[in-house]
Amino acid sequence: PSHMREYVDLTIDQDNGGVHINSGIPNKAAHLLAESIGREKLGQIYYRVLDARYLNARSGFTDMRFAVIQAATDLYGQDSVELNAAAAAFERVVTNSLLPPLFSPNPPGS
């Protein structure tokens, strides 16, 4: 699958819950991001995700999305082209899914 609407719900006995089968979803987001900002910047963002240890063994798609967004923010800034491209790439593969929105229109305290 390359979109959350195609997600394959499997048990832990089946591909560890679908970890390999469903990896096409975040892979598609990475591909879309690379098309927007280039492979070098994509590599920097994903290296930061891994180096900063934003993810762990219990991380899921939501965690991956937020980790990529955070890494893009850390490296390129809050209003950067790279951050917007990262958000857009994940939106394209999760639209109409059960994942929470990337940015709250009314942040706490506003």
Side-chain angles (χ1 to χ4, degrees), residues 54-76:
Y54 292 145
L55 303 173
N56 60 50
R58 295 183 181 263
S59 296
F61 290 116
T62 302
D63 303 307
M64 181 62 181
R65 181 176 62 158
F66 283 113
V68 171
I69 297 294
Q70 186 61 56
T73 302
D74 292 348
L75 292 169
Y76 301 105

PDB file of all heavy atoms in Angstrom, residues 54-76:
ATOM      1  N   TYR A  54      14.042  10.227  17.549  1.00  0.00           N
ATOM      2  CA  TYR A  54      12.640  10.634  17.637  1.00  0.00           C
ATOM      3  C   TYR A  54      11.702   9.428  17.658  1.00  0.00           C
ATOM      4  O   TYR A  54      10.544   9.560  18.018  1.00  0.00           O
ATOM      5  CB  TYR A  54      12.248  11.497  16.439  1.00  0.00           C
ATOM      6  CG  TYR A  54      12.878  12.855  16.377  1.00  0.00           C
ATOM      7  CD1 TYR A  54      13.215  13.418  15.160  1.00  0.00           C
ATOM      8  CD2 TYR A  54      13.120  13.602  17.521  1.00  0.00           C
ATOM      9  CE1 TYR A  54      13.772  14.670  15.077  1.00  0.00           C
ATOM     10  CE2 TYR A  54      13.693  14.853  17.449  1.00  0.00           C
ATOM     11  CZ  TYR A  54      14.014  15.384  16.224  1.00  0.00           C
ATOM     12  OH  TYR A  54      14.573  16.622  16.137  1.00  0.00           O
ATOM     13  N   LEU A  55      12.195   8.267  17.227  1.00  0.00           N
ATOM     14  CA  LEU A  55      11.365   7.068  17.131  1.00  0.00           C
ATOM     15  C   LEU A  55      11.907   5.963  18.023  1.00  0.00           C
ATOM     16  O   LEU A  55      13.076   5.953  18.373  1.00  0.00           O
ATOM     17  CB  LEU A  55      11.332   6.574  15.680  1.00  0.00           C
ATOM     18  CG  LEU A  55      10.837   7.572  14.642  1.00  0.00           C
ATOM     19  CD1 LEU A  55      11.015   7.013  13.242  1.00  0.00           C
ATOM     20  CD2 LEU A  55       9.383   7.927  14.898  1.00  0.00           C
ATOM     21  N   ASN A  56      11.029   5.035  18.374  1.00  0.00           N
ATOM     22  CA  ASN A  56      11.451   3.870  19.138  1.00  0.00           C
ATOM     23  C   ASN A  56      10.687   2.647  18.630  1.00  0.00           C
ATOM     24  O   ASN A  56       9.932   2.747  17.656  1.00  0.00           O
ATOM     25  CB  ASN A  56      11.238   4.092  20.644  1.00  0.00           C
ATOM     26  CG  ASN A  56       9.782   4.341  20.984  1.00  0.00           C
ATOM     27  OD1 ASN A  56       8.893   3.589  20.569  1.00  0.00           O
ATOM     28  ND2 ASN A  56       9.518   5.394  21.744  1.00  0.00           N
ATOM     29  N   ALA A  57      10.865   1.523  19.272  1.00  0.00           N
ATOM     30  CA  ALA A  57      10.265   0.271  18.813  1.00  0.00           C
ATOM     31  C   ALA A  57       8.737   0.303  18.798  1.00  0.00           C
ATOM     32  O   ALA A  57       8.105  -0.461  18.086  1.00  0.00           O
ATOM     33  CB  ALA A  57      10.747  -0.881  19.680  1.00  0.00           C
ATOM     34  N   ARG A  58       8.133   1.200  19.541  1.00  0.00           N
ATOM     35  CA  ARG A  58       6.668   1.291  19.589  1.00  0.00           C
ATOM     36  C   ARG A  58       6.112   2.389  18.686  1.00  0.00           C
ATOM     37  O   ARG A  58       4.908   2.619  18.667  1.00  0.00           O
ATOM     38  CB  ARG A  58       6.202   1.530  21.020  1.00  0.00           C
ATOM     39  CG  ARG A  58       6.516   0.376  21.939  1.00  0.00           C
ATOM     40  CD  ARG A  58       5.961   0.664  23.327  1.00  0.00           C
ATOM     41  NE  ARG A  58       6.271  -0.404  24.233  1.00  0.00           N
ATOM     42  CZ  ARG A  58       5.431  -1.393  24.530  1.00  0.00           C
ATOM     43  NH1 ARG A  58       4.268  -1.449  23.979  1.00  0.00           N
ATOM     44  NH2 ARG A  58       5.795  -2.320  25.388  1.00  0.00           N
ATOM     45  N   SER A  59       6.965   3.058  17.951  1.00  0.00           N
ATOM     46  CA  SER A  59       6.520   4.158  17.093  1.00  0.00           C
ATOM     47  C   SER A  59       5.642   3.644  15.961  1.00  0.00           C
ATOM     48  O   SER A  59       5.849   2.549  15.452  1.00  0.00           O
ATOM     49  CB  SER A  59       7.724   4.891  16.505  1.00  0.00           C
ATOM     50  OG  SER A  59       8.476   5.501  17.526  1.00  0.00           O
ATOM     51  N   GLY A  60       4.685   4.472  15.575  1.00  0.00           N
ATOM     52  CA  GLY A  60       3.784   4.148  14.477  1.00  0.00           C
ATOM     53  C   GLY A  60       3.831   5.227  13.410  1.00  0.00           C
ATOM     54  O   GLY A  60       4.711   6.094  13.409  1.00  0.00           O
ATOM     55  N   PHE A  61       2.862   5.191  12.517  1.00  0.00           N
ATOM     56  CA  PHE A  61       2.821   6.149  11.413  1.00  0.00           C
ATOM     57  C   PHE A  61       2.707   7.592  11.908  1.00  0.00           C
ATOM     58  O   PHE A  61       3.345   8.495  11.363  1.00  0.00           O
ATOM     59  CB  PHE A  61       1.661   5.848  10.466  1.00  0.00           C
ATOM     60  CG  PHE A  61       1.860   4.594   9.681  1.00  0.00           C
ATOM     61  CD1 PHE A  61       1.004   3.520   9.853  1.00  0.00           C
ATOM     62  CD2 PHE A  61       2.889   4.464   8.779  1.00  0.00           C
ATOM     63  CE1 PHE A  61       1.169   2.357   9.135  1.00  0.00           C
ATOM     64  CE2 PHE A  61       3.083   3.308   8.059  1.00  0.00           C
ATOM     65  CZ  PHE A  61       2.221   2.245   8.237  1.00  0.00           C
ATOM     66  N   THR A  62       1.902   7.822  12.914  1.00  0.00           N
ATOM     67  CA  THR A  62       1.765   9.168  13.461  1.00  0.00           C
ATOM     68  C   THR A  62       3.102   9.663  13.993  1.00  0.00           C
ATOM     69  O   THR A  62       3.497  10.805  13.745  1.00  0.00           O
ATOM     70  CB  THR A  62       0.722   9.193  14.591  1.00  0.00           C
ATOM     71  OG1 THR A  62      -0.515   8.726  14.072  1.00  0.00           O
ATOM     72  CG2 THR A  62       0.532  10.591  15.136  1.00  0.00           C
ATOM     73  N   ASP A  63       3.803   8.798  14.708  1.00  0.00           N
ATOM     74  CA  ASP A  63       5.116   9.164  15.257  1.00  0.00           C
ATOM     75  C   ASP A  63       6.105   9.485  14.143  1.00  0.00           C
ATOM     76  O   ASP A  63       6.888  10.432  14.252  1.00  0.00           O
ATOM     77  CB  ASP A  63       5.663   8.029  16.124  1.00  0.00           C
ATOM     78  CG  ASP A  63       4.719   7.670  17.253  1.00  0.00           C
ATOM     79  OD1 ASP A  63       4.321   8.569  18.010  1.00  0.00           O
ATOM     80  OD2 ASP A  63       4.372   6.477  17.355  1.00  0.00           O
ATOM     81  N   MET A  64       6.083   8.678  13.081  1.00  0.00           N
ATOM     82  CA  MET A  64       6.982   8.913  11.955  1.00  0.00           C
ATOM     83  C   MET A  64       6.694  10.264  11.311  1.00  0.00           C
ATOM     84  O   MET A  64       7.604  11.029  11.009  1.00  0.00           O
ATOM     85  CB  MET A  64       6.847   7.791  10.927  1.00  0.00           C
ATOM     86  CG  MET A  64       7.754   7.947   9.735  1.00  0.00           C
ATOM     87  SD  MET A  64       9.483   7.906  10.251  1.00  0.00           S
ATOM     88  CE  MET A  64      10.291   8.123   8.690  1.00  0.00           C
ATOM     89  N   ARG A  65       5.433  10.536  11.114  1.00  0.00           N
ATOM     90  CA  ARG A  65       5.050  11.818  10.507  1.00  0.00           C
ATOM     91  C   ARG A  65       5.536  12.978  11.370  1.00  0.00           C
ATOM     92  O   ARG A  65       6.161  13.917  10.867  1.00  0.00           O
ATOM     93  CB  ARG A  65       3.541  11.860  10.318  1.00  0.00           C
ATOM     94  CG  ARG A  65       3.073  13.141   9.665  1.00  0.00           C
ATOM     95  CD  ARG A  65       1.595  13.119   9.396  1.00  0.00           C
ATOM     96  NE  ARG A  65       0.839  13.014  10.633  1.00  0.00           N
ATOM     97  CZ  ARG A  65      -0.420  13.376  10.755  1.00  0.00           C
ATOM     98  NH1 ARG A  65      -1.078  13.852   9.730  1.00  0.00           N
ATOM     99  NH2 ARG A  65      -1.042  13.256  11.900  1.00  0.00           N
ATOM    100  N   PHE A  66       5.268  12.921  12.671  1.00  0.00           N
ATOM    101  CA  PHE A  66       5.705  13.997  13.552  1.00  0.00           C
ATOM    102  C   PHE A  66       7.226  14.082  13.647  1.00  0.00           C
ATOM    103  O   PHE A  66       7.786  15.174  13.749  1.00  0.00           O
ATOM    104  CB  PHE A  66       5.076  13.867  14.941  1.00  0.00           C
ATOM    105  CG  PHE A  66       3.646  14.323  14.980  1.00  0.00           C
ATOM    106  CD1 PHE A  66       2.638  13.420  15.213  1.00  0.00           C
ATOM    107  CD2 PHE A  66       3.305  15.648  14.768  1.00  0.00           C
ATOM    108  CE1 PHE A  66       1.309  13.819  15.237  1.00  0.00           C
ATOM    109  CE2 PHE A  66       1.991  16.067  14.779  1.00  0.00           C
ATOM    110  CZ  PHE A  66       0.981  15.151  15.023  1.00  0.00           C
ATOM    111  N   ALA A  67       7.910  12.952  13.578  1.00  0.00           N
ATOM    112  CA  ALA A  67       9.376  12.952  13.618  1.00  0.00           C
ATOM    113  C   ALA A  67       9.953  13.649  12.386  1.00  0.00           C
ATOM    114  O   ALA A  67      10.894  14.438  12.494  1.00  0.00           O
ATOM    115  CB  ALA A  67       9.902  11.517  13.719  1.00  0.00           C
ATOM    116  N   VAL A  68       9.408  13.370  11.223  1.00  0.00           N
ATOM    117  CA  VAL A  68       9.882  14.013   9.991  1.00  0.00           C
ATOM    118  C   VAL A  68       9.593  15.513  10.038  1.00  0.00           C
ATOM    119  O   VAL A  68      10.451  16.328   9.680  1.00  0.00           O
ATOM    120  CB  VAL A  68       9.263  13.347   8.745  1.00  0.00           C
ATOM    121  CG1 VAL A  68       9.564  14.143   7.480  1.00  0.00           C
ATOM    122  CG2 VAL A  68       9.785  11.920   8.608  1.00  0.00           C
ATOM    123  N   ILE A  69       8.413  15.877  10.498  1.00  0.00           N
ATOM    124  CA  ILE A  69       8.058  17.297  10.633  1.00  0.00           C
ATOM    125  C   ILE A  69       9.017  17.989  11.600  1.00  0.00           C
ATOM    126  O   ILE A  69       9.511  19.086  11.335  1.00  0.00           O
ATOM    127  CB  ILE A  69       6.603  17.443  11.132  1.00  0.00           C
ATOM    128  CG1 ILE A  69       5.618  16.868  10.119  1.00  0.00           C
ATOM    129  CG2 ILE A  69       6.271  18.883  11.493  1.00  0.00           C
ATOM    130  CD1 ILE A  69       5.546  17.581   8.811  1.00  0.00           C
ATOM    131  N   GLN A  70       9.302  17.343  12.744  1.00  0.00           N
ATOM    132  CA  GLN A  70      10.208  17.934  13.728  1.00  0.00           C
ATOM    133  C   GLN A  70      11.621  18.063  13.173  1.00  0.00           C
ATOM    134  O   GLN A  70      12.279  19.086  13.367  1.00  0.00           O
ATOM    135  CB  GLN A  70      10.232  17.102  15.013  1.00  0.00           C
ATOM    136  CG  GLN A  70      11.041  17.739  16.123  1.00  0.00           C
ATOM    137  CD  GLN A  70      10.494  19.096  16.530  1.00  0.00           C
ATOM    138  OE1 GLN A  70       9.333  19.202  16.886  1.00  0.00           O
ATOM    139  NE2 GLN A  70      11.322  20.124  16.480  1.00  0.00           N
ATOM    140  N   ALA A  71      12.090  17.050  12.480  1.00  0.00           N
ATOM    141  CA  ALA A  71      13.430  17.102  11.906  1.00  0.00           C
ATOM    142  C   ALA A  71      13.538  18.215  10.864  1.00  0.00           C
ATOM    143  O   ALA A  71      14.531  18.952  10.828  1.00  0.00           O
ATOM    144  CB  ALA A  71      13.802  15.759  11.282  1.00  0.00           C
ATOM    145  N   ALA A  72      12.517  18.357  10.029  1.00  0.00           N
ATOM    146  CA  ALA A  72      12.516  19.438   9.028  1.00  0.00           C
ATOM    147  C   ALA A  72      12.515  20.796   9.716  1.00  0.00           C
ATOM    148  O   ALA A  72      13.207  21.728   9.286  1.00  0.00           O
ATOM    149  CB  ALA A  72      11.314  19.296   8.092  1.00  0.00           C
ATOM    150  N   THR A  73      11.764  20.913  10.790  1.00  0.00           N
ATOM    151  CA  THR A  73      11.728  22.162  11.555  1.00  0.00           C
ATOM    152  C   THR A  73      13.089  22.445  12.175  1.00  0.00           C
ATOM    153  O   THR A  73      13.598  23.566  12.098  1.00  0.00           O
ATOM    154  CB  THR A  73      10.654  22.084  12.657  1.00  0.00           C
ATOM    155  OG1 THR A  73       9.387  21.812  12.061  1.00  0.00           O
ATOM    156  CG2 THR A  73      10.568  23.390  13.440  1.00  0.00           C
ATOM    157  N   ASP A  74      13.678  21.433  12.804  1.00  0.00           N
ATOM    158  CA  ASP A  74      14.987  21.598  13.443  1.00  0.00           C
ATOM    159  C   ASP A  74      16.047  22.050  12.442  1.00  0.00           C
ATOM    160  O   ASP A  74      16.860  22.911  12.741  1.00  0.00           O
ATOM    161  CB  ASP A  74      15.452  20.279  14.070  1.00  0.00           C
ATOM    162  CG  ASP A  74      14.607  19.849  15.256  1.00  0.00           C
ATOM    163  OD1 ASP A  74      13.797  20.659  15.754  1.00  0.00           O
ATOM    164  OD2 ASP A  74      14.752  18.674  15.661  1.00  0.00           O
ATOM    165  N   LEU A  75      16.023  21.454  11.268  1.00  0.00           N
ATOM    166  CA  LEU A  75      17.065  21.726  10.276  1.00  0.00           C
ATOM    167  C   LEU A  75      16.824  22.985   9.452  1.00  0.00           C
ATOM    168  O   LEU A  75      17.772  23.687   9.104  1.00  0.00           O
ATOM    169  CB  LEU A  75      17.203  20.528   9.323  1.00  0.00           C
ATOM    170  CG  LEU A  75      17.755  19.251   9.933  1.00  0.00           C
ATOM    171  CD1 LEU A  75      17.583  18.088   8.965  1.00  0.00           C
ATOM    172  CD2 LEU A  75      19.221  19.433  10.297  1.00  0.00           C
ATOM    173  N   TYR A  76      15.574  23.259   9.125  1.00  0.00           N
ATOM    174  CA  TYR A  76      15.295  24.320   8.138  1.00  0.00           C
ATOM    175  C   TYR A  76      14.389  25.440   8.640  1.00  0.00           C
ATOM    176  O   TYR A  76      14.230  26.436   7.955  1.00  0.00           O
ATOM    177  CB  TYR A  76      14.697  23.695   6.873  1.00  0.00           C
ATOM    178  CG  TYR A  76      15.625  22.675   6.267  1.00  0.00           C
ATOM    179  CD1 TYR A  76      15.391  21.315   6.388  1.00  0.00           C
ATOM    180  CD2 TYR A  76      16.790  23.072   5.602  1.00  0.00           C
ATOM    181  CE1 TYR A  76      16.255  20.379   5.854  1.00  0.00           C
ATOM    182  CE2 TYR A  76      17.666  22.151   5.072  1.00  0.00           C
ATOM    183  CZ  TYR A  76      17.385  20.802   5.199  1.00  0.00           C
ATOM    184  OH  TYR A  76      18.256  19.878   4.682  1.00  0.00           O
TER     185      TYR A  76
END
